[in-house]
């Protein structure tokens, strides 16, 4: 059963597995809570027990159930923490090798993409900035794409659902994250923070391409850009 957008990243499946693990614990807690609420209602209904009982809960006989629930909840939290640790470390830390380095800047109401230019280094004079509504960020497949995320105005949320990566863009901060897409295609980037009146129009894409197509794209982008700077 496919209830999520297709996962196309190297680490997306691990996030999905964590989702299902968390859901199992929450479902167990949900069923137990319902039972604890409903069972006494039925068992102690008026025809069974006409006299009401007042339980203060400060005797150990009653209070132990609070403790048991607390330990069960804390225990499942620790199981999730333990299981997620490796995934968290992998996704939150940068990959040993960054194949592509790009800049992504959020602004009301668009994501602006900065390519590093022919030298492959961000923040130099040959950088190329694409600032268009609904534009696509081109990336090669099976490569570690490291990006620097910024915001020029308010808090935006960068969400690339097909990779399971979601990161807020916070004004004044540069946040470095990464993804690696394993399948060619065009994937939605949506903004997940209500960032103003046109928030819902804030929609860009990641275009994941083969190495050849990606090289073709950057070559033509960079040569068009060098003509532009040469003629200026
Ligand atoms: Cu936004």
């Amino acid at each position: 059963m496919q209830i999520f957008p297709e996962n196309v990243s190297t680490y997306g499946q691990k996030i999905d597995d964590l989702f299902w693990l968390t859901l199992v614990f929450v479902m167990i807690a949900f069923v137990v809570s319902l039972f604890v609420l409903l069972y006494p209602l039925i068992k102690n209904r008026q025809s069974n027990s006409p006299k009401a009982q007042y339980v203060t809960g400060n005797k150990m006989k009653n209070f132990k159930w609070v403790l048991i629930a607390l330990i069960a909840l804390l225990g499942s939290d620790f199981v999730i923490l333990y299981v997620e640790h490796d995934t968290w470390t992998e996704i939150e830390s940068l990959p040993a090798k960054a194949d592509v380095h790009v800049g992504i800047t959020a602004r009301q109401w668009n994501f602006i993409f900065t390519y590093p230019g022919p030298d492959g280094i961000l923040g130099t004079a040959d950088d190329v900035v694409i600032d268009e509504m609904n534009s696509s960020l081109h990336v090669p497949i099976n490569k570690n794409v490291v990006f620097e995320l910024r915001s020029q105005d308010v808090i935006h949320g960068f969400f690339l659902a097909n990779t399971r990566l979601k990161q807020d863009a916070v004004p004044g901060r540069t946040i470095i994250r990464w993804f690696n897409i394993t399948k060619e295609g065009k994937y939605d980037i949506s903004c997940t923070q209500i960032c103003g009146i046109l928030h819902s129009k804030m929609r860009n894409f990641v275009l994941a391409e083969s190495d050849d197509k990606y090289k073709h794209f950057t070559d033509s982008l960079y040569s068009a850009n060098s003509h532009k700077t040469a003629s200026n």
Side-chain angles (χ1 to χ4, degrees), residues 37-53:
L37 279 172
L38 296 180
Y39 178 72
L41 279 184
I42 296 157
K43 182 176 170 261
N44 303 323
R45 64 188 182 275
Q46 197 181 23
S47 57
N48 262 358
S49 123
K51 196 166 174 298
Q53 219 191 108

Side-chain angles (χ1 to χ4, degrees), residues 109 155-157 191 193 195 199 202:
W109 290 274
I155 297 177
H156 297 270
C191 179
Q193 297 286 0
C195 56
H199 159 72
M202 195 164 168

Side-chain angles (χ1 to χ4, degrees), residues 111 157-162 164-167 188-192:
F111 286 102
F158 175 88
F159 185 33
L160 191 50
N162 294 88
R164 312 295 189 253
L165 178 73
K166 187 191 268 181
Q167 171 66 56
D188 271 317
I189 303 173
S190 37
C191 179
T192 47

Side-chain angles (χ1 to χ4, degrees), residues 178-199:
W178 70 283
F179 57 82
N180 185 325
I181 293 179
T182 53
K183 191 180 166 192
E184 281 186 61
K186 190 176 183 182
Y187 307 109
D188 271 317
I189 303 173
S190 37
C191 179
T192 47
Q193 297 286 0
I194 306 288
C195 56
I197 192 79
L198 290 183
H199 159 72

Side-chain angles (χ1 to χ4, degrees), residues 8-232:
V8 297
S9 76
T10 48
Y11 53 58
Q13 188 58 48
K14 295 176 190 171
I15 299 285
D16 291 354
D17 293 346
L18 284 172
F19 171 86
W20 291 114
L21 176 74
T22 311
L23 188 72
V24 166
F25 282 126
V26 172
M27 286 302 285
I28 293 171
F30 176 69
V31 170
V32 170
S33 312
L34 271 189
F35 178 79
V36 168
L37 279 172
L38 296 180
Y39 178 72
L41 279 184
I42 296 157
K43 182 176 170 261
N44 303 323
R45 64 188 182 275
Q46 197 181 23
S47 57
N48 262 358
S49 123
K51 196 166 174 298
Q53 219 191 108
Y54 183 63
V55 182
T56 56
N58 56 5
K59 287 207 190 78
M60 206 48 194
K61 176 173 168 281
N62 308 119
F63 187 68
K64 72 169 188 236
W65 289 105
V66 176
L67 283 181
I68 288 171
L70 189 69
I71 290 166
L73 269 177
L74 275 179
S76 33
D77 271 356
F78 277 113
V79 170
I80 292 171
L81 277 178
Y82 179 77
V83 174
E84 77 168 7
H85 178 263
D86 289 345
T87 310
W88 170 265
T89 315
E90 178 191 348
I91 299 175
E92 289 291 316
S93 45
L94 291 180
K97 186 167 155 280
D99 300 301
V100 175
H101 219 140
V102 292
I104 299 174
T105 302
R107 191 188 60 211
Q108 289 170 315
W109 290 274
N110 185 26
F111 286 102
I112 301 160
F113 305 123
T114 306
Y115 297 88
D119 66 357
I121 302 168
L122 265 187
T124 49
D126 63 351
D127 287 5
V128 180
V129 179
I130 303 294
D131 181 358
E132 283 161 28
M133 277 191 100
N134 310 127
S135 58
S136 298
L137 173 70
H138 292 243
V139 299
I141 55 165
N142 299 315
K143 292 281 189 299
N144 293 330
V145 178
V146 174
F147 62 94
E148 299 181 2
L149 185 64
R150 296 184 182 83
S151 169
Q152 286 185 1
D153 36 44
V154 298
I155 297 177
H156 297 270
F158 175 88
F159 185 33
L160 191 50
N162 294 88
T163 66
R164 312 295 189 253
L165 178 73
K166 187 191 268 181
Q167 171 66 56
D168 277 358
V170 183
R173 283 181 63 187
T174 298
I175 298 168
I176 303 179
R177 304 295 304 270
W178 70 283
F179 57 82
N180 185 325
I181 293 179
T182 53
K183 191 180 166 192
E184 281 186 61
K186 190 176 183 182
Y187 307 109
D188 271 317
I189 303 173
S190 37
C191 179
T192 47
Q193 297 286 0
I194 306 288
C195 56
I197 192 79
L198 290 183
H199 159 72
S200 63
K201 296 274 175 236
M202 195 164 168
R203 187 184 184 208
N204 294 75
F205 304 91
V206 162
L207 206 60
E209 302 170 315
S210 65
D211 277 346
D212 285 350
K213 278 194 216 156
Y214 176 71
K215 192 168 179 322
H216 183 76
F217 164 77
T218 49
D219 283 351
S220 54
L221 179 73
Y222 294 161
S223 72
N225 193 57
S226 68
H227 293 319
K228 211 163 44 183
T229 30
S231 62
N232 281 345

